[in-house]
Amino acid sequence: MIKLSTNGVPLTKEKILRLKDARIDEIVVNIGASGFSKDVYKNMEEAAKYMTITCCAPLWPLQREGYIDMLPILNDIGVKHLELYQLQILN
């Protein structure tokens, strides 16, 4: 299995199809890296038509609301996997 990690911003339909042709099986998108961009959600929805999409997210306290809001969106657009990472901030 070949995976590609991205923030999701550059995922145009043309690039998604090129990745599919290159036999990329899965795209892992860090949705928090784009500030939970609606455009990135649209890109993920398009990519989900052709390959497996995983959403990964480091749990950053300042983005708490974004994580809560994203759950139904991810379900609606066909994301199959969600990877949450613990983030610890030390002073």
Side-chain angles (χ1 to χ4, degrees), residues 23-57:
R23 299 181 191 222
I24 300 295
D25 300 300
E26 182 175 351
I27 297 177
V28 180
V29 178
N30 180 340
I31 191 67
S34 70
F36 304 94
S37 165
K38 290 181 182 182
D39 289 334
V40 171
Y41 285 126
K42 289 177 190 174
N43 295 348
M44 292 169 68
E45 184 173 25
E46 184 65 32
K49 296 174 185 175
Y50 304 99
M51 60 192 69
T52 300
I53 302 299
T54 295
C55 181
C56 73

Side-chain angles (χ1 to χ4, degrees), residues 54-65:
T54 295
C55 181
C56 73
L59 296 175
W60 179 253
L62 298 175
Q63 294 180 324
R64 182 178 184 273
E65 292 303 315

Side-chain angles (χ1 to χ4, degrees), residues 12-24:
T12 62
K13 183 172 183 176
E14 177 185 343
K15 289 178 183 175
I16 292 165
L17 292 174
R18 289 176 56 199
L19 291 169
K20 180 181 178 247
D21 290 344
R23 299 181 191 222
I24 300 295

